[in-house]
Amino acid sequence: MKYVKILLPGIFVWLCVSLSFYVFEQFPVLKNNFNIQAITILIIIVLYSSSGAYFYYKNSPKTNGLTLGTAMSLTALILDALITVPYVEIPNGRSYQSFFSSPFLWLLTSINTITVYSFWRIKIKTKK
């Protein structure tokens, strides 16, 4: 059960980011402007990560924030490899290599991990 619980915030963040990209693709102004989509996602991932951390730490604040943030990022990357790339990226003419070599992806995972660690440091560790 503990392993499933640590995966849920990562699934939540992956789902939110994926849905955000889908919604942005529906707006004609944003559809062909990846830079605006990326900047917007970089800002709102802080909200998604904080929300995932909040729900995780609601009942069990024992896990270190860096551990949780890394687990969330790894979960999202695994879901990207299993779902996003084969069902979204490859049909659009991109590949695993182009997806996983994108600096934007690694910036997102870093911001996610840093946000969760900061949340833990400010909200959880100070309560102990």
Side-chain angles (χ1 to χ4, degrees), residues 42-61:
L42 285 173
I43 294 168
I44 61 177
I45 194 168
V46 173
L47 174 68
Y48 298 152
S49 300
S50 297
S51 298
Y54 171 79
F55 288 117
Y56 178 82
Y57 286 122
K58 200 173 185 180
N59 296 321
S60 63

Side-chain angles (χ1 to χ4, degrees), residues 53 55 57 61 69 73 75 80 92 94 99 111 114:
F55 288 117
Y57 286 122
S73 293
T75 302
D80 280 336
N92 287 325
R94 294 180 287 270
F99 184 82
I111 289 175
I114 291 167

Side-chain angles (χ1 to χ4, degrees), residues 70-106:
T70 303
M72 287 171 65
S73 293
L74 286 174
T75 302
L77 288 170
I78 290 168
L79 289 170
D80 280 336
L82 296 174
I83 298 170
T84 306
V85 175
Y87 294 107
V88 176
E89 297 296 315
I90 292 175
N92 287 325
R94 294 180 287 270
S95 66
Y96 277 95
Q97 182 181 1
S98 67
F99 184 82
F100 285 106
S101 64
S102 169
F104 174 70
L105 174 70
W106 299 107

Side-chain angles (χ1 to χ4, degrees), residues 23-33 37:
V23 168
F24 291 157
E25 287 288 321
Q26 304 311 307
F27 292 103
V29 175
L30 298 174
K31 185 173 187 163
N32 295 321
N33 197 336
Q37 290 179 19

Side-chain angles (χ1 to χ4, degrees), residues 13-28:
V13 169
W14 172 80
L15 197 64
C16 288
V17 169
S18 297
L19 287 174
S20 296
F21 273 116
Y22 175 76
V23 168
F24 291 157
E25 287 288 321
Q26 304 311 307
F27 292 103

